[in-house]
Amino acid sequence: MAGDRAGGGTVIPVLPVDEVRAAIAADAWDRANALLQAHDRAVVAAVAGVDFSTQPQAPWRALLAAQQALADEVRAARDEVGRSLDKLHQDQRGARAWRQALA
């Protein structure tokens, strides 16, 4: 994963926002989670070589906040789909009950 350079030349991995959002749109939850996990591993590897006593923390903090927000977006979208499916099942049960009552 390529990214921006922080002070000292350390490359900050780019958060795959567009790819994760495309996975959300396709209801590809495993893909969205895999993308976030891969990014997390890239960040952990990159941070291992960072001396925060000499390099700015702000870019890393911003990345962490953006990563958390994107993970929250995945969770919220997945939860919304779950609620929609629950509602659909309730509606189907109601329709079946009406059909049986009218038969």
Side-chain angles (χ1 to χ4, degrees):
M1 244 180 240
D4 296 328
R5 290 202 179 273
T10 303
V11 175
I12 298 175
V14 173
L15 187 60
V17 175
D18 292 338
E19 294 89 344
V20 170
R21 287 187 176 148
I24 291 170
D27 292 336
W29 308 113
D30 290 342
R31 176 77 178 134
N33 287 327
L35 287 162
L36 287 172
Q37 289 171 354
H39 180 263
D40 189 58
R41 287 189 299 275
V43 170
V44 168
V47 166
V50 176
D51 178 1
F52 285 110
S53 67
T54 61
Q55 293 189 32
Q57 295 179 10
W60 295 98
R61 289 182 190 272
L63 178 62
L64 178 60
Q67 185 181 37
Q68 185 61 52
L70 189 57
D72 290 345
E73 190 176 324
V74 170
R75 247 185 316 281
R78 187 184 57 227
D79 291 349
E80 180 60 31
V81 167
R83 283 189 295 276
S84 295
L85 286 173
D86 288 345
K87 172 109 174 65
L88 177 63
H89 289 129
Q90 288 172 357
D91 292 348
Q92 286 175 336
R93 283 191 299 272
R96 279 193 299 271
W98 271 102
R99 189 175 61 225
Q100 288 173 354
L102 295 173

